[in-house]
Amino acid sequence: MDRDTLEVVKGAEAVVALRGHSVVKQRVPKGYRIVELDTKLRRERTRLEAKIQSDARRAGVPTPIIEAVDGFSITMERIEGSPVHSVMNEAVAEDVGAVLCALHSAGIVHGDPTTRNMILSAGRVYLIDFGLSSYDRSLEARGVDVHVFFQTLEATDDRFPTLKEAFLAGYARNCSDAALILEKVNEIKERGRYL
Amino acid sequence: MIVLGIEGTAWNLSASLVDDDDVLCEASSAYIPALGGIHPREAAQHVANNIAGVIRQVLSSTDPRLIEGIAFSQGPGLGPCLRIVGTAARALSLRLGVPLVGVNHCIAHIEVGRWKTDLVDPIVLYVSGANSQVLSYRHQRYRILGETLDIGIGNCLDKFARSAGLPHPGGPKVERLAQESRNYLPMPYVVKGMDFSFSGIVTAATEALKSTSLEEICYSFQETAFSMLVEVSERALSQMDKSELLLAGGVGANKRLREMLSIMCAQRGARFCAPKSEYLRDNGAMIAYTGLLMLRHGIQTPIASSGANPSFRPDEVEVLWIETH
């Protein structure tokens, strides 16, 4: 890593670094996997993540512009702004609902829509880190997305009940099946798996 | 406190006496199918034929009046086996006039692992014949962070081994054959978040038997399936921000799996531990010890609710014996 690069986050499968006006996400080799499998997985996942992220953007979901995909790394636009959890209020929660609805309408689930993976920039909520995302239109997958968001909200914010309502209002604006999703979320919660 | 525990969920019938410090004695009787895999009716017959013997063996080593509780595996497992174990446990509890406690088999694997290693608050990778789960303790429950969407890793190995004509249990044979090859044949790698699926590997491996050497298939099978398990374990460590990994369950005896887990943990600065193999496979001591923890914290199972629970999930159990950190 060169002098202008600042390592910021080291996740389970990738290292994310800031480089000028860009963010570089690099999938690192895993010593426990044989090289053939490791290379194949990292290449496929990098390509898929970039594809899903640009498809989401094309569908009107605010996400960083992909600047380059190179083997195991994705270079993308750096979004300057505030992490959503630090600026959360009813209007922001409603925007998150609308953004997640737009993503789901494009047949994509994020996979990890925690407030850490959202940035408020110039009045818009950006979704970042599509590392666990997939093409999935099922009620179950969309329900898990919404449930994951509710969980982070409930754990970090005392205004959860009103924020939840605001989120649902935003989600229902363009997604007519919001009531079905909420039912699914309650069912997922009942199962206890994700408690 | 001395507790007698009886394990009998599938292949290994086992009874044991433990106290707070150690295992006092254990007697086991393994069911070894003459042909094919575990047949539920024959496994139950094995339990029925041998349960009096194993219990008598452990009772003979101590004064029965010192026993303060009877623990038994209540589930998950094969219903016909669980019912016999439950009946024996109820009879003992009434005869000795001591409390009865039904133990979740998965949680027993975890607790014996914590007991026999010095890990405090680990992510647990629990891999056995029928079960494959990644768990983590939080707010008085072992939460299931991820699990197999279809079959357990052990059953996956056994199923393939059977179609390759290898005798039961297939896992150790696959492990030995895998050491003879370094040629990787790609197989379905299915990880969704922290869940995973093995059925595709069985199909692909069975199909490959027509054209590929058995050694190569075994190698590719292990590398693919185990990489999935290690990947979700790492994701769990990262997401829960924990720094210990405990391996539990019979498949934990596999050397390649252990090697991969220890490499992963070393790379991220986490500690990796697994108990000795006698505490990885199904054993009576783990049931007795978990029963002891439960009894110490006032948990007993009244006769009326002591029925077998073949699909008992670990997150149904309220865990009252762990001090909050």
Side-chain angles (χ1 to χ4, degrees):
Chain A
M1 217 167 275
D2 54 69
R3 276 188 309 132
D4 305 328
T5 304
L6 182 67
E7 182 176 318
V8 277
V9 191
K10 201 168 177 183
E13 66 169 346
V15 174
V16 177
L18 298 176
R19 194 175 293 161
H21 295 292
S22 301
V23 171
V24 182
K25 175 171 179 176
Q26 171 113 30
R27 283 187 161 74
V28 292
K30 293 292 170 187
Y32 64 83
R33 283 196 294 237
I34 54 171
V35 175
E36 300 97 300
L37 180 58
D38 186 62
T39 310
K40 179 170 174 283
L41 284 173
R42 288 192 294 133
R43 184 170 290 133
E44 283 175 3
R45 287 175 178 183
T46 302
R47 208 177 289 159
L48 183 68
E49 180 180 349
K51 183 173 183 306
I52 294 181
Q53 190 169 323
S54 41
D55 279 355
R57 193 178 163 82
R58 206 163 295 134
V61 178
T63 66
I65 299 171
I66 304 278
E67 293 163 356
V69 182
D70 177 21
F72 312 114
S73 74
I74 303 176
T75 307
M76 63 189 102
E77 174 195 11
R78 177 174 172 184
I79 307 293
E80 306 275 359
S82 321
V84 155
H85 65 85
S86 66
V87 289
M88 184 56 81
N89 59 36
E90 282 180 45
V92 172
E94 194 173 332
D95 284 350
V96 171
V99 166
L100 218 50
C101 157
L103 186 74
H104 290 171
S105 301
I108 298 169
V109 291
H110 184 278
D112 192 22
T114 60
T115 43
R116 271 186 320 177
N117 285 334
M118 299 173 187
I119 298 172
L120 185 71
S121 174
R124 299 215 296 167
V125 172
Y126 280 75
L127 290 182
I128 60 166
D129 192 359
F130 282 72
L132 288 174
S133 63
S134 57
Y135 294 103
D136 196 334
R137 290 188 178 275
S138 69
L139 208 55
E140 168 79 20
R142 287 186 285 155
V144 169
D145 251 8
V146 173
H147 178 65
V148 168
F149 176 70
F150 282 176
Q151 258 189 317
T152 61
L153 209 53
E154 192 170 14
T156 54
D157 207 307
D158 294 337
R159 301 163 296 170
F160 175 64
T162 51
L163 295 175
K164 180 182 170 184
E165 288 311 312
F167 169 90
L168 287 170
Y171 194 89
R173 221 187 298 142
N174 289 312
C175 285
S176 52
D177 53 0
L180 278 177
I181 294 278
L182 185 61
E183 216 173 276
K184 198 73 192 177
V185 171
N186 290 334
E187 181 201 317
I188 291 164
K189 198 172 174 181
E190 283 299 298
R191 278 185 230 150
R193 256 297 300 274
Y194 299 91
L195 277 179
Chain B
M1 182 186 268
I2 294 180
V3 173
L4 186 153
I6 315 168
E7 153 65 28
T9 52
W11 69 277
N12 196 21
L13 170 68
S14 175
S16 173
L17 288 175
V18 304
D19 64 14
D20 296 81
D21 302 318
D22 211 349
V23 178
L24 304 176
C25 66
E26 188 172 73
S28 301
S29 171
Y31 156 67
I32 298 156
L35 209 65
I38 295 174
H39 189 303
R41 189 186 59 220
E42 285 173 16
Q45 198 57 55
H46 176 86
V47 174
N49 291 342
N50 295 285
I51 195 160
V54 296
I55 291 173
R56 205 167 285 134
Q57 238 177 296
V58 293
L59 283 180
S60 70
S61 71
T62 190
D63 178 353
R65 283 171 300 185
L66 297 175
I67 296 171
E68 291 181 62
I70 306 295
F72 68 104
S73 54
Q74 195 169 11
L78 300 172
C81 299
L82 295 172
R83 279 192 283 278
I84 298 165
V85 169
T87 304
R90 282 185 290 271
L92 271 173
S93 157
L94 292 170
R95 177 73 180 79
L96 298 174
V98 294
L100 180 69
V101 60
V103 171
N104 180 288
H105 176 88
C106 311
I107 289 189
H109 273 290
I110 300 173
E111 291 305 344
V112 81
R114 288 179 60 233
W115 192 33
K116 293 294 170 187
T117 64
D118 57 355
L119 299 185
V120 180
D121 183 22
I123 291 291
V124 183
L125 175 64
Y126 168 42
V127 279
S128 67
N131 303 291
S132 299
Q133 294 172 325
V134 179
L135 306 104
S136 171
Y137 174 82
R138 189 165 67 92
H139 294 166
Q140 313 211 310
R141 255 170 234 273
Y142 282 107
R143 313 282 165 171
I144 302 169
L145 302 174
E147 65 188 318
T148 176
L149 296 165
D150 39 52
I151 55 174
I153 178 68
N155 286 355
C156 164
L157 286 160
D158 289 346
K159 248 175 137 139
F160 163 69
R162 209 147 61 231
S163 48
L166 301 170
H168 184 87
K173 280 117 196 157
V174 171
E175 180 176 6
R176 205 162 48 241
L177 286 162
Q179 288 162 2
E180 306 299 316
S181 177
R182 285 293 174 272
N183 289 329
Y184 182 67
L185 175 76
M187 293 198 176
Y189 187 101
V190 184
V191 168
K192 295 181 176 183
M194 281 192 263
D195 290 332
F196 39 93
S197 156
F198 291 126
S199 57
I201 299 184
V202 181
T203 311
T206 307
E207 199 57 34
L209 283 169
K210 292 176 196 152
S211 55
T212 315
S213 80
L214 188 54
E215 290 81 1
E216 184 175 336
I217 301 173
C218 289
Y219 171 71
S220 309
F221 191 117
Q222 283 203 158
E223 291 303 321
T224 310
F226 293 168
S227 291
M228 288 160 56
L229 292 170
V230 180
E231 180 183 356
V232 295
S233 303
E234 179 168 27
R235 186 162 293 148
L237 283 166
S238 166
Q239 287 200 0
M240 305 307 290
D241 206 14
K242 292 197 177 182
S243 56
E244 297 175 334
L245 182 73
L246 173 68
L247 180 61
V251 181
N254 187 297
K255 290 196 184 67
R256 176 58 182 150
L257 176 61
R258 298 166 78 115
E259 178 185 48
M260 290 166 82
L261 288 167
S262 58
I263 293 171
M264 180 273 283
C265 285
Q267 282 197 337
R268 55 178 301 115
R271 282 191 66 209
F272 168 63
C273 287
K276 283 190 290 185
S277 68
E278 63 227 66
Y279 300 117
L280 281 168
R281 61 171 179 255
D282 294 352
N283 61 88
M286 69 183 194
I287 301 294
Y289 177 68
T290 309
L292 181 146
L293 291 175
M294 293 171 80
L295 290 168
R296 278 243 179 266
H297 290 79
I299 309 164
Q300 300 185 7
T301 306
I303 299 279
S305 47
S306 66
N309 187 354
S311 54
F312 197 1
R313 289 176 63 81
D315 54 4
E316 289 172 48
V317 179
E318 201 177 5
V319 176
L320 300 175
W321 53 88
I322 294 181
E323 305 291 324
T324 39
H325 348 268

